[in-house]
Amino acid sequence: VQLQASGGGLVQAGGSLRLSCVTSGRTFSIYGMGWFRQAPREEREFVAAINYNGKAISYADSVKGRFTISRDNAKNTVYLQMNSLKPEDTAVYYCASDRGSYNNYVRSGPLNYDYWGQETQVTVSS
């Protein structure tokens, strides 16, 4: 199983970025997906998650109203649209695939995810 994340970069505060994560080697459409981030000297933290059919979604309080998670099961891809970016959003971002299938809920704990993509750096300048 491989998760390939892309879309990070350098942006000014108030700008936008869209992260993408393509999954291969697993039936993408039956697993929930999550995005996490880790800033320097900080613990990895939950950002957003979406269940297998897109009907359950959750966000960290720090990104509510600014970030949107979505998925395209036909393309095996999960997205994270990030708007109104702030310097405190600067971190490496990771996508991850939930251990469970056909869940009608989402989970925020990283131990609930068994496959992880490589990091993609997001840097927001002030």
Side-chain angles (χ1 to χ4, degrees):
V1 179
Q2 290 190 323
L3 280 66
Q4 183 72 37
S6 62
L10 172 65
V11 64
Q12 289 189 329
S16 298
L17 285 173
R18 188 175 81 155
L19 305 183
S20 300
C21 175
V22 180
T23 298
S24 60
R26 171 177 264 194
T27 305
F28 175 80
S29 61
I30 68 174
Y31 291 94
M33 297 293 297
W35 286 98
F36 294 79
R37 67 186 182 186
Q38 188 168 14
R41 299 173 297 280
E42 299 286 337
E43 296 289 321
R44 186 171 300 191
E45 66 173 357
F46 169 76
V47 176
I50 186 168
N51 81 322
Y52 75 101
N53 60 8
K55 293 185 177 180
I57 288 175
S58 179
Y59 297 97
D61 287 343
S62 59
V63 307
K64 278 181 183 176
R66 301 187 298 120
F67 290 12
T68 302
I69 189 171
S70 63
R71 64 189 297 156
D72 185 338
N73 285 346
K75 296 182 178 180
N76 292 351
T77 303
V78 62
Y79 303 97
L80 186 68
Q81 178 67 43
M82 305 185 294
N83 298 330
S84 303
L85 282 161
K86 304 175 181 180
E88 50 264 44
D89 294 317
T90 295
V92 292
Y93 284 70
Y94 301 89
C95 59
S97 181
D98 197 300
R99 295 179 184 277
S101 58
Y102 294 113
N103 289 340
N104 290 315
Y105 51 85
V106 293
R107 302 192 280 192
S108 60
L111 293 179
N112 293 307
Y113 295 79
D114 54 356
Y115 292 101
W116 293 77
Q118 90 289 357
E119 62 187 49
T120 185
Q121 176 72 46
V122 172
T123 303
V124 184
S125 62
S126 57

